[in-house]
Amino acid sequence: MSNSALSPLPSADRPDVAARLRDALLGASFTADGLLELLGAPAYAALARSEVVPALRATRGDTPLETLVRLFLLQQPVPHARVADVLPVDACLEAGWLTGIGGDEVAAAVDIRPYGGPDGEDWFIVSDLGCAVGGAGGIGSRDEGVVLGVGGASTTLAGITVRTPVAAALDLGTGSGIQALHAARHATRVTATDLNPRALHTTALTLALSGAPAADLREGSLFEPVAADETYDLIVSNPPFVISPGARLTYRDGGMGGDDLCRTLVQQAGDRLTEGGYAQFLANWQHVEGEDWQDRLRSWVPRGCDAWIVQREVQDVTQYAELWLRDAGDHRSDPVEYQARYDAWLDEFEARKVKSVGFGWITLRKTGAVEPSVTVEEWPHSIEQPLGEAVRAHFDRVDYLRATDDAALLAGHFKLAAEVVQEQVGLPGAEDPEHVVLRQHRGMRRATKVDTVGAGFAGVCDGTLSAGRILDAIAQLVGEDPVLLRDRTPAQIRLLVEQGFLDPVE
């Protein structure tokens, strides 16, 4: 499966060697926790930025763990005899995990990076040498079939994914296999696809070395490898979403015009989901002159699906072009060539009337509802990962609100969500605040303005009294007509439920 322009990959047909290598790595504490303890936080953080000097300084000793760090993370040749004390070196050489150098030294054939699973699992992510961290830093510009390791986008998608037990999951554009590895924890069957055969080979290595079940690996673009009648309970994809002139780098460039790849992926996902199933993607989208970006994204949502789309960041076209030119290492190339590539990006955006590019998450859920719910919002503020449970709860609240009219809402009982605080904003010494803000300290960490009735209502919601009873008591307290208060407050209650400040009590 390997790409001839790149170094050969280890054999994916030797699970016995992968198991022995895994045992040896764990025996030497070559884990996320072990690395943190050995290197210290600053050097460990630097390693995540592909800066190796602090880690080189921290591994001057001769312990088994220091040997493995130099070998697999820092790509340093190590004496054969030293490695033989730590790993089954001959089996690793035979299976291609290691290569011999000059007779008495060995080097890693791939980058192996420890990765801590959500429940403390010790996993290992395999990638091409020097590509353990997202962003090839120039390697991808030479070899387009390069397979990257875990970057910020990968961990973001893993964190927002809904983790309920499912029968079948699909990781579309698997790369080094991190999403397939996560899915294997809660899916009976995992299918992983990629246009790059080298990525499928790497995913097989990641799963084997992490002690996870093998996935059904299929080569092809988007949903091409999936039969027309195949459906899944969960679809995840960190696709090659970069909007670029051409498809120079397989790992990041979609090869379709503008944001067509992301749009096509989202639109085609609806037919591949089982009832109640989720599809979750990272994506880029164009902000086109004279067009509302939210309307653009609403048009992507397939029929029969609820959607929650969150824009996390926006960059103008110059920032965007510079970001991805640097990602490929083009800023270190010939200045004339760099300027020509930069110019080509701006030409492309100008031709499409694109003024900026948005980045964020798209979650679909297959629904039988007559009127699906589509929420498109901008939320650039900090959040609390993992967010998968908050995503699932969002759609539960959508179901509740869709099925509950105002009369049922007022008869319902609610509880204030955990770790919500009230802030009063106003001038110092003022008798009454200018406004009251409710703020979450969990999940999306939202903040919303409420009036005194809304604040008072939320403050006494402990599940014991119905919403109507609480409003009647507030009306008596503030001297307002209870009928009028019942009439005007449901919209505010709905907003507080929708945004997760109030939880319905069954």
Side-chain angles (χ1 to χ4, degrees), residues 156-201:
T156 294
L157 179 59
I160 67 171
T161 301
V162 176
R163 301 292 177 193
T164 52
V166 295
L170 171 65
D171 175 15
L172 195 149
T174 187
S176 60
I178 179 62
Q179 309 305 331
L181 186 55
H182 275 279
R185 292 176 60 251
H186 61 104
T188 304
R189 178 171 57 87
V190 177
T191 301
T193 72
D194 206 289
L195 182 63
N196 181 5
R198 188 175 179 86
L200 296 175
H201 190 139

Side-chain angles (χ1 to χ4, degrees), residues 226-456:
V226 179
D229 59 348
E230 281 185 278
T231 56
Y232 296 87
D233 309 297
L234 174 67
I235 299 171
V236 292
S237 184
N238 176 20
F241 52 66
V242 177
I243 300 170
S244 62
R248 188 161 58 106
L249 304 178
T250 305
Y251 70 87
R252 66 163 212 200
D253 299 330
M256 296 186 185
D259 51 18
D260 282 357
L261 182 133
C262 291
R263 176 185 56 78
T264 301
L265 181 61
V266 173
Q267 288 180 336
Q268 292 182 355
D271 291 337
R272 308 294 183 171
L273 286 173
T274 58
E275 187 72 21
Y278 289 91
Q280 298 187 261
F281 314 106
L282 299 186
N284 277 181
W285 43 78
Q286 298 173 149
H287 286 227
V288 179
E289 196 175 321
E291 182 180 353
D292 185 289
W293 69 270
Q294 293 180 319
D295 289 344
R296 181 182 190 85
L297 289 172
R298 286 189 186 94
S299 75
W300 291 10
V301 178
R303 290 175 57 189
C305 287
D306 292 324
W308 183 21
I309 301 173
V310 182
Q311 179 167 275
R312 295 286 290 155
E313 186 179 358
V314 182
Q315 290 186 318
D316 68 51
V317 291
T318 58
Q319 291 174 308
Y320 188 81
E322 290 162 18
L323 169 68
W324 294 110
L325 287 166
R326 284 196 303 272
D327 171 81
D330 290 328
H331 60 305
R332 295 195 295 268
S333 66
D334 174 64
V336 175
E337 186 179 352
Y338 173 78
Q339 288 183 10
R341 284 188 168 145
Y342 197 152
D343 225 12
W345 283 68
L346 297 186
D347 283 345
E348 178 88 0
F349 285 133
E350 190 176 327
R352 295 179 176 277
K353 297 184 177 178
V354 176
K355 54 186 180 178
S356 56
V357 177
F359 168 82
W361 324 318
I362 297 176
T363 300
L364 306 176
R365 185 189 60 166
K366 192 68 172 281
T367 179
V370 177
E371 292 188 23
S373 163
V374 177
T375 300
V376 184
E377 62 175 317
E378 186 163 20
W379 189 253
H381 312 293
S382 66
I383 58 158
E384 182 190 49
Q385 284 275 38
L387 205 66
E389 180 56 27
V391 173
R392 187 199 60 76
H394 166 88
F395 288 97
D396 283 350
R397 295 194 298 271
V398 164
D399 285 342
Y400 170 82
L401 292 171
R402 189 159 44 202
T404 307
D405 62 19
D406 284 356
L409 191 79
L410 292 173
H413 294 240
F414 301 92
K415 289 185 74 170
L416 189 65
E419 296 191 41
V420 171
V421 298
Q422 175 179 304
E423 299 172 359
Q424 297 188 170
V425 182
L427 293 172
E431 189 173 329
D432 295 313
E434 289 179 21
H435 57 262
V436 178
V437 174
L438 298 182
R439 188 178 301 278
Q440 301 167 350
H441 284 272
R442 305 296 300 273
M444 290 292 286
R445 294 177 174 163
R446 294 188 186 278
T448 189
K449 283 184 187 180
V450 290
D451 60 19
T452 52
V453 171

Side-chain angles (χ1 to χ4, degrees), residues 445-470:
R445 294 177 174 163
R446 294 188 186 278
T448 189
K449 283 184 187 180
V450 290
D451 60 19
T452 52
V453 171
F457 180 86
V460 296
C461 277
D462 61 3
T464 55
L465 294 175
S466 70
R469 290 277 302 280
I470 294 173

